[in-house]
Amino acid sequence: MDFSLPDSLQSLLARLDNFIATTIHPLESTPTNIRFFDYRREHARTDWDASGLPHAEWEALLSKATHLADEAGFWRLALPREWGGKELGNLGMAVVREHLASKGLSLANDLQNEHSVVGNFPDVVMVLGYGTDAQKKKFVGDRLQGKASVTFGLTEEGHGSDATFMDTRGVKEERGGRKGWRIDGRKMWQTNMHRATHCFVFARTSGKNGDARGITCFIVPRETDGVKVESYQWTLNMPTDHATVAFEGVWVPEDAVLGQVGGGLAVAQAFVHENRIRQAASSLGAAVYCVEESVKYARKRKPFGRPLADNQGIQFPLVELATQCEMLRLLIRKTAWEMDRIPHAQIEKKLGDKVSMCNFWANRLCCEAADRAIQVHGGWGYSRHLPFEHIWRHHRRYRITEGSEEIQKRKVAGYLFGYMGPKKEAMSKL
C-alpha cells in the first residue's frame, strides 16, 4: 500500500503556497486589511448597525481575493473542465482543505463564510446534476462570473435535521394564463440572503411529512413579490448572514423547478457527502494548527524557569490530540480516495457511514484542540489577540450544521447494526 501523495498534488500545494505568499498575504497584511484578521476581526467584519451583516469592506476584500485566485487558476479547481476547473476530486480537495486550514486564519482560507482561494461549490453541483441547459447557463455560468448568487432554503423554524418534515407548501396555480406554483411558508438560516439574486426553496408539493418523495426545489428570484426577510440571526461567531425568510403567496412559473417535481430531496442531498468530507478535512487542518501552535508555545514559555513543555499535564493532552489527528487524516484520505473510485450514486450506500465518521469526529476534535490551545496559552489564549477563540467559535457550528453529530452517529449506527448499508441483508437474518 502506498500512502504517499501523488506528485501532481504535492506540486499543486507548492504552487498554492507560493501564490498565497506572493499575492494573498501582502493583500491581507496592508494597514487597512489587517484589522479583519487581528484582535479586531469580529468588530471589523461586522456592520453592527445593519442587522449584524458582513461589512461591505470585508466582503469587498473577500471578493478581491477570490478574483485573484480565479485568475491564478485555483478557485475553480474542483469544478468540471468545461467550467474552467481541473476536476480535482475528493482526495485532492481533502488534502488541499486540510493544508489551507492548518495554516491558521488568513485571507487565503477563512471559513467563517466558506471563503477560500480554492472554492467549494455545492450550489453549482446541484445545478449541474439536475438543472436544465438554461438553468446551468444562469446558475453556473453567471454564478461563476459573480452575476448570480443563490441562497438555500431548506431548514424551518420547527424542522431542522428532519428534512422530510416541512410546513412550506407548493401548490399548482395558474396566473395570467401561465402555469406555475404558489409557495407559502417560512425558512430559517438562509445563508447569503443579503446578497442573493435567487433562492433555492424546498417545499412539499405532495405526500405527507416523513415521505422522501413529494418535496420540490423551486428557484425563486430574490425580488419576487411575497419574499420577505424577517430577521437575521446573530450567531456565536459574527458577522451573521443567516436569514429567516417568509414566502407568502410567492408565485413562480413551471420552469422554476430544479430537478423533478417531487424529487427535491435528491437535489438537496446532491453534494452532502463531498461537503462533509471536505468540511472534515478543514476541521482536521484547524485542529492540527491548534496542536502545533500549542507545542511551539509550550517549548518557548518558561514559568518558574522551566519550559512549560516539561510538564506531563501539558504533554499528555496534546499527545492524545496529535494521535487523533494522525488517525483521522488516514480515515479522511482513505474515504475520499474510495469516493473518487465509485459512481456518485453509490457513495451513500457504500461509504455513507465512513463520511459521517470523518465529519462528526473531525468537528469535535477541532473544538477540543482549540479549547486545549486556549488552556495552554493561558491568558493570551483566552484573548482575541490569538486566533484560538475564533477557531473554536467558528468550528463549533459544524457540530450542528452539515448534519448534526447526533444525526451523523445515527447514520453510523444504522450501518453498524445493519439497519442500512451493505450489512442490512445479513444483519436482518439475526
Side-chain angles (χ1 to χ4, degrees), residues 182-197:
R182 188 188 76 245
I183 304 168
D184 292 279
R186 296 171 74 250
K187 297 293 182 179
M188 284 192 72
W189 309 114
Q190 285 202 203
T191 304
N192 200 41
M193 186 66 186
H194 67 296
R195 294 196 306 167
T197 61

Side-chain angles (χ1 to χ4, degrees), residues 392-409:
W392 183 89
R393 284 188 292 114
H394 169 70
H395 285 268
R396 183 61 181 83
R397 77 168 178 162
Y398 288 119
R399 295 175 65 185
I400 300 171
T401 61
E402 300 302 328
S404 70
E405 62 181 44
E406 290 81 9
I407 292 295
Q408 308 271 24
K409 289 179 186 178

Side-chain angles (χ1 to χ4, degrees), residues 142-404:
D142 286 1
R143 192 270 204 225
L144 294 175
Q145 295 179 41
K147 299 177 181 178
S149 178
V150 170
T151 183
F152 192 80
L154 180 64
T155 303
E156 298 182 0
E157 185 175 12
H159 306 290
S161 298
D162 51 346
T164 61
F165 288 74
M166 62 178 62
D167 296 326
T168 301
R169 292 291 187 264
V171 180
K172 288 184 178 180
E173 183 176 292
E174 186 173 311
R175 291 189 184 181
R178 297 179 66 192
K179 293 181 178 180
W181 297 83
R182 188 188 76 245
I183 304 168
D184 292 279
R186 296 171 74 250
K187 297 293 182 179
M188 284 192 72
W189 309 114
Q190 285 202 203
T191 304
N192 200 41
M193 186 66 186
H194 67 296
R195 294 196 306 167
T197 61
H198 294 76
C199 311
F200 285 1
V201 182
F202 293 81
R204 182 161 289 284
T205 52
S206 64
K208 62 182 184 302
N209 278 337
D211 292 344
R213 293 287 303 177
I215 295 171
T216 302
C217 179
F218 296 99
I219 302 175
V220 180
R222 169 66 178 84
E223 300 303 322
T224 303
D225 290 342
V227 177
K228 179 183 178 182
V229 175
E230 294 186 338
S231 63
Y232 284 95
Q233 273 56 59
W234 287 32
T235 56
L236 185 66
N237 210 20
M238 293 291 281
T240 180
D241 58 359
H242 306 297
T244 294
V245 185
F247 298 88
E248 300 175 352
V250 171
W251 186 88
V252 293
E254 281 187 315
D255 61 5
V257 173
L258 179 60
Q260 295 182 347
V261 172
L265 194 59
V267 177
Q269 295 177 334
F271 197 64
V272 64
H273 299 100
E274 288 87 347
N275 226 28
R276 285 178 178 173
I277 201 72
R278 294 171 190 183
Q279 178 52 52
S282 293
S283 288
L284 170 61
V288 168
Y289 172 80
C290 291
V291 171
E292 291 183 347
E293 291 299 307
S294 297
V295 168
K296 293 175 186 176
Y297 182 79
R299 288 300 303 268
K300 293 186 296 183
R301 178 74 167 169
K302 295 181 179 180
F304 308 106
R306 295 175 54 203
L308 196 61
D310 285 358
N311 300 296
Q312 290 181 345
I314 297 296
Q315 294 174 357
F316 287 3
L318 292 173
V319 165
E320 292 187 5
L321 290 168
T323 301
Q324 291 183 51
C325 287
E326 291 294 328
M327 292 190 294
L328 181 60
R329 179 180 297 110
L330 292 177
L331 180 59
I332 289 174
R333 293 186 180 181
K334 177 178 179 290
T335 302
W337 177 79
E338 290 179 327
M339 290 170 67
D340 286 336
R341 279 157 177 75
I342 62 175
H344 181 273
Q346 295 183 23
I347 292 176
E348 169 60 27
K349 183 177 181 180
K350 294 185 176 181
L351 296 170
D353 60 333
K354 300 300 188 297
V355 174
S356 288
M357 287 178 183
C358 292
N359 191 267
F360 92 78
W361 196 260
N363 295 332
R364 183 196 297 178
L365 177 61
C366 181
C367 290
E368 292 178 356
D371 184 77
R372 178 53 50 181
I374 291 171
Q375 191 70 19
V376 170
H377 285 79
W380 281 111
Y382 182 69
S383 78
R384 298 195 178 197
H385 293 266
L386 295 180
F388 307 118
E389 58 82 32
H390 179 92
I391 291 171
W392 183 89
R393 284 188 292 114
H394 169 70
H395 285 268
R396 183 61 181 83
R397 77 168 178 162
Y398 288 119
R399 295 175 65 185
I400 300 171
T401 61
E402 300 302 328
S404 70

